[in-house]
Amino acid sequence: MAAALSLVSVVDANGFRRYLSLRQDVESVQARNRSLSAQNEALRNEIAALRKDPAALERAVREELGYVKPGELVFHLESP
């Protein structure tokens, strides 16, 4: 009887195969969660730096908004 139930579980789409599929889904979601947690931590660190470090704030403004100081020359180089 146990062998028959095991066979049915393996063959049935709602049995063992479904369990394996769901286990893979859980592992995938956990990996994505770890990746997002790392991104969140990096963003928290960047926010803290922008709030406390004037040099970090200046760098961000220059890079993201393209600000330059009076009298500075900016050269944009593009690679082919």
Side-chain angles (χ1 to χ4, degrees):
M1 185 63 140
L5 287 175
S6 297
L7 181 61
V8 169
S9 176
V10 169
V11 175
D12 184 22
N14 290 324
F16 190 68
R17 289 187 300 169
R18 175 110 170 108
Y19 165 76
L20 290 177
S21 174
L22 290 174
R23 191 172 77 182
Q24 288 176 343
D25 290 348
V26 167
E27 290 172 2
S28 174
V29 168
Q30 287 174 338
R32 176 87 171 125
N33 191 27
R34 284 189 297 274
S35 173
L36 290 173
S37 292
Q39 288 177 5
N40 283 341
E41 185 61 28
L43 289 171
R44 279 189 204 100
N45 291 339
E46 184 177 352
I47 289 169
L50 291 173
R51 287 182 176 163
K52 296 176 183 177
D53 185 9
L57 182 60
E58 181 179 344
R59 178 188 41 79
V61 168
R62 287 172 170 270
E63 288 176 3
E64 295 179 23
L65 301 176
Y67 280 35
V68 294
K69 290 181 180 179
E72 286 185 330
L73 296 176
V74 177
F75 297 94
H76 293 281
L77 306 175
E78 295 182 23
S79 60

